[in-house]
Amino acid sequence: MTREERRTGPVVVYGATGYTGRLVAEELLARGERVVLSGRSAERLDALAERLGEGVEDVVPAALDDAAALRDAAGRGPVLANCAGPFARTGDAVLAAATAAGAHYLDTTGEQHWMRRVFDHHDGALRAAGVAAIPGMGFDYVPGDLLCHLVGRELQPLRRVTVAYDTQDFGMTRGTMRSALEMMDGRDVVYEGGRWRTGGARPVREHARFPAPLGRRLVARYPAGEILTVPRHLQVREVVARLTAVSIAPRVVAPVLPAATPVLSRLLRGRLKGALDAAIGRLPEGPPEGERRAVRWTIVAIAEGEGGQRAAGVVTGPDIYGLTAHTIAEGAQRLAAPTFTGVGALGPAGAFDAAELLDALAPFGVQWRRDDALAA
């Protein structure tokens, strides 16, 4: 996509000085885009702009409680990329500013509760402004949402779509840890019988099949974004999301994690969340580059038609945070294209062609394929 084919103007990166925000800004600059850096600390923004050099068009400090400054920042370009989590605490102000400024919005969230707010509470204002918002335009939940669409579209109407995640050697940033606290406090929803409802705290002890060498793995409930996005682009009665226990807990603890999740959810609705949040603040900002690049992940999607037909697919790749920077940059360029006409709250597969976008991730090392043996 050439620059002449895109709307003019830089991409505004809010939360630019954070771990993921810096990666997003660097990826955009590597693609020849101009960027406007925004966030709460003028000093840190100036230091980042000096380090990044050419291509940084402006620096716009904007606190979350300063609506005028946020709108000024959002109005500097046709697209705003929000990298400042946890989004349950920050998202409303930034998305409202983008909407008021007439800018498309995307973010790096993994928080299902925030995504639900975008769909339920911001969609009307977005449509009235003629702009789109795509929450979860990072590793969470671009590959999974696209894969679900590709395996399920030919079998509609569908009885169920199941998506299962596995990550290897994933070191989280402070922002991801804080988002995880928001995700695990029991506010998640499930999609059953063709409708969304509160998921509650039901324990799950199941196994999911992954391609070799992973094989059969113990999984836990996962408040994934696909539960919200997949029913908006597929005709389906139930969407199930699972995450391998070893993805989020040491191997000695993983076997008890599925049963312990309800208890943990109740504890996180009390004082424990604040105590853990404070402890997270004393940890390193994120994994070193070598560790970040060493991460490997696998996502499996299985679609079941009403008539019993089944199809499955798998997508794999490296470097969760690097991929998030890649998908945010890819999404920002597509949103800025004159051919993009979407409005309102959208998921990745609702905003873009699923196969085309997934194929566009191949240079980063993302690979996908049909694997119907996983559905047998």
Side-chain angles (χ1 to χ4, degrees):
M1 191 179 298
T2 66
R3 178 170 296 278
E4 289 72 26
E5 295 173 318
R6 294 193 287 270
R7 295 188 182 116
T8 59
V11 178
V12 180
V13 181
Y14 188 81
T17 62
Y19 186 95
T20 305
R22 293 195 301 271
L23 293 176
V24 168
E26 289 168 356
E27 175 65 23
L28 287 163
L29 291 172
R31 292 171 176 239
E33 297 293 330
R34 294 169 293 144
V35 298
V36 168
L37 306 178
S38 188
R40 289 172 289 183
S41 170
E43 182 178 355
R44 293 182 66 192
L45 288 167
D46 286 339
L48 178 62
E50 183 176 356
R51 181 171 74 80
L52 293 178
E54 188 177 354
V56 176
E57 186 164 293
D58 207 349
V59 169
V60 186
L64 290 167
D65 60 357
D66 189 338
L70 284 173
R71 182 170 179 176
D72 177 37
R76 301 298 183 97
V79 180
L80 181 146
N82 185 9
C83 307
F87 296 84
R89 309 178 202 175
T90 67
D92 283 308
V94 181
L95 177 51
T99 306
H104 293 304
Y105 169 98
L106 39 74
D107 67 35
T108 61
T109 194
E111 302 163 38
Q112 188 200 69
H113 178 65
W114 162 243
M115 294 178 69
R116 189 182 185 188
R117 281 193 59 78
V118 176
F119 285 106
D120 291 352
H121 299 287
H122 288 274
D123 182 69
L126 288 161
R127 291 181 180 277
V131 294
I134 310 175
M137 190 62 198
F139 169 75
D140 317 281
Y141 295 93
V142 170
D145 188 54
L146 300 178
L147 185 66
C148 287
H149 185 83
L150 292 171
V151 301
R153 61 184 176 182
E154 295 179 1
L155 300 183
Q156 300 180 84
L158 300 165
R159 184 172 75 86
R160 176 186 296 147
V161 171
T162 301
V163 59
Y165 282 71
D166 179 82
T167 62
Q168 301 289 312
D169 302 317
F170 179 37
M172 296 184 186
T173 65
R174 289 196 301 250
T176 299
M177 293 180 194
R178 287 183 167 126
S179 287
L181 296 181
E182 301 294 336
M183 294 170 66
M184 297 171 64
D185 67 3
R187 290 179 294 173
D188 61 298
V189 296
V190 295
Y191 188 77
E192 298 174 341
R195 65 185 183 91
W196 289 283
R197 65 175 183 80
T198 301
R202 295 177 299 172
V204 167
R205 187 173 180 84
E206 298 174 355
H207 289 81
R209 289 181 63 191
F210 289 85
L214 297 176
R216 188 170 179 265
R217 297 229 155 182
L218 179 69
V219 293
R221 285 178 61 228
Y222 182 31
E226 288 93 340
I227 291 172
L228 295 170
T229 59
V230 169
R232 289 178 161 89
H233 56 78
L234 288 177
Q235 186 182 349
V236 59
R237 286 197 288 125
E238 182 179 6
V239 179
V240 175
R242 299 290 185 254
L243 174 67
T244 57
V246 294
S247 293
I248 50 175
R251 292 187 181 277
V252 295
V253 177
V256 303
L257 179 66
T261 299
V263 176
L264 182 60
S265 295
R266 287 194 295 272
L267 292 173
L268 286 174
R269 291 195 290 271
R271 295 181 178 179
L272 179 61
K273 181 188 283 187
L276 290 174
D277 190 282
I280 288 169
R282 296 190 287 272
L283 296 174
E285 183 180 33
E289 182 177 357
E291 292 182 15
R292 190 196 86 219
R293 293 182 181 275
V295 173
R296 293 295 181 269
W297 52 266
T298 302
I299 304 170
V300 170
I302 301 174
E304 305 173 44
E306 294 283 11
Q309 319 95 308
R310 295 165 68 91
V314 59
V315 58
T316 61
D319 189 357
I320 285 172
Y321 293 110
L323 174 62
T324 291
H326 194 83
T327 55
I328 286 286
E330 188 74 30
Q333 290 182 317
R334 290 168 184 261
L335 284 173
T339 53
F340 182 81
T341 58
V343 295
L346 301 168
F352 309 116
D353 180 271
E356 181 184 311
L357 180 53
L358 207 48
D359 287 341
L361 304 181
F364 190 79
V366 174
Q367 298 180 329
W368 73 279
R369 67 183 187 274
R370 284 285 295 267
D371 191 346
D372 291 343
L374 294 169

